[in-house]
Amino acid sequence: MKWEEGLIDSLGWGKDITRREEKEKVAATIAGMVKDGEILGVGSGSTAYLALLKIAERVKEEGLCIQAIPTSLEITMACARLGIPVTGLEGHRPDWTFDGADEIDPYLSLIKGRGGAMFKEKLLISSSPKTFIIADSSKMVSRLGMNFPVPIEIFPQAFTYVEQALKKLSSREINLRMAEGKDGPIITENGNLILDVWFDSIPDTMERDIKQITGVIESGLFMGYKIEILNP
Ligand code: 5RP
């Protein structure tokens, strides 16, 4: 049985989407790659959202039968609005995943997590045989950390301990990500906090070094993952 029309039917992205034209081009490329019967890992952020809209058009027009494994609540809600069935990693492995990024360096290392969903994004990317990172031209950088800090999701009580440990990893600046529309810090979908950490340089060992700190759930550094970049 269907719900009567409600809030969910009018939900959009909620903010202006920067470089929308470029993002729509790669979104269309992703939508064109979807095959009937596939299970797709769906990343978060405006580029992944636009790709989901294009996929939904194909589902409607061609009657494609697909399932999505979303990486965030906003993408789960978008799937509900668009009539795309959702499943989970417990029962299904994605055939492939698509996602956006905040920065991509020449070695295909990434910073992700502006949207705070990096834990589930990393889980999906690690679970997928193949992942396409869809990115407009502003995302390509000569070194990671030029335009974005590295987001690190941490267990709330580990806040001070992790901060001290990150200082020893030669971070330049550490900020607690604050919420908009709520007092205090952002609380992730997993009930944790996010530290946004600026580094002057990010060596190859940094993802592992951060993950080894007790209290760190996951970081937005992606180094050495099986990904392919799709540009407009
Ligand atoms: C969310 C992410 C996004 O993929 C990243 O922030 C890119 O977002 P957008 O497509 O809106 O530029 O990692 O956690």
Side-chain angles (χ1 to χ4, degrees):
M1 184 175 173
K2 281 201 141 197
W3 285 105
E4 279 173 32
E5 199 174 312
L7 267 181
I8 194 140
D9 301 295
S10 56
L11 275 182
W13 183 243
K15 291 179 207 149
D16 279 347
I17 296 184
T18 56
R19 294 177 182 261
R20 187 168 185 133
E21 234 172 82
E22 275 188 65
K23 288 177 177 175
E24 277 181 339
K25 255 193 200 170
V26 273
T29 308
I30 284 291
M33 290 161 49
V34 176
K35 295 195 195 79
D36 193 39
E38 281 185 326
I39 293 175
L40 303 177
V42 182
S44 296
S46 59
T47 322
Y49 171 74
L50 291 174
L52 192 66
L53 294 188
K54 294 268 183 222
I55 291 169
E57 282 174 20
R58 279 199 63 202
V59 167
K60 209 169 163 197
E61 284 160 17
E62 300 169 38
L64 290 184
C65 203
I66 60 160
Q67 285 179 280
I69 306 183
T71 51
S72 61
L73 184 57
E74 64 272 17
I75 292 296
T76 307
M77 289 166 97
C79 286
R81 176 169 66 86
L82 297 166
I84 296 178
V86 161
T87 183
L89 278 174
E90 301 87 344
H92 288 112
R93 186 180 183 200
D95 289 293
W96 53 281
T97 289
F98 62 91
D99 201 349
D102 300 311
E103 287 189 351
I104 304 169
D105 80 1
Y107 309 99
L108 307 191
S109 292
L110 314 173
I111 289 181
K112 290 182 47 53
R114 177 203 50 75
M118 58 276 183
F119 177 39
K120 189 100 185 275
E121 290 168 345
K122 200 173 274 190
L123 190 56
L124 256 295
I125 290 174
S126 302
S127 304
S128 290
K130 179 129 206 186
T131 296
F132 296 93
I133 299 294
I134 44 178
D136 64 75
S137 51
S138 70
K139 309 297 178 64
M140 310 310 289
V141 293
S142 56
R143 85 169 166 80
L144 290 184
M146 289 177 79
N147 305 324
F148 280 86
V150 176
I152 303 177
E153 180 166 351
I154 60 162
F155 183 69
Q157 286 185 41
F159 176 69
T160 309
Y161 174 77
V162 175
E163 181 195 6
Q164 302 299 315
L166 285 169
K167 282 185 181 158
K168 290 187 195 138
L169 282 185
S170 63
S171 54
R172 175 165 39 93
E173 188 183 321
I174 304 177
N175 296 307
L176 176 63
R177 193 180 292 187
M178 301 306 281
E180 288 170 32
K182 166 197 171 293
D183 291 338
I186 275 196
I187 310 293
T188 69
E189 290 181 23
N190 313 307
N192 298 312
L193 303 177
I194 294 180
L195 296 178
D196 283 312
V197 186
W198 291 93
F199 293 94
D200 286 326
S201 77
I202 298 181
D204 292 349
T205 52
M206 188 63 97
E207 181 182 358
R208 197 186 58 213
D209 291 345
I210 293 172
K211 188 70 188 274
Q212 270 177 355
I213 302 170
T214 304
V216 166
I217 308 296
E218 197 46 84
S219 81
L221 264 185
F222 289 64
M223 307 175 104
Y225 288 74
K226 208 171 165 199
I227 56 169
E228 192 173 310
I229 310 295
L230 287 185
N231 291 127

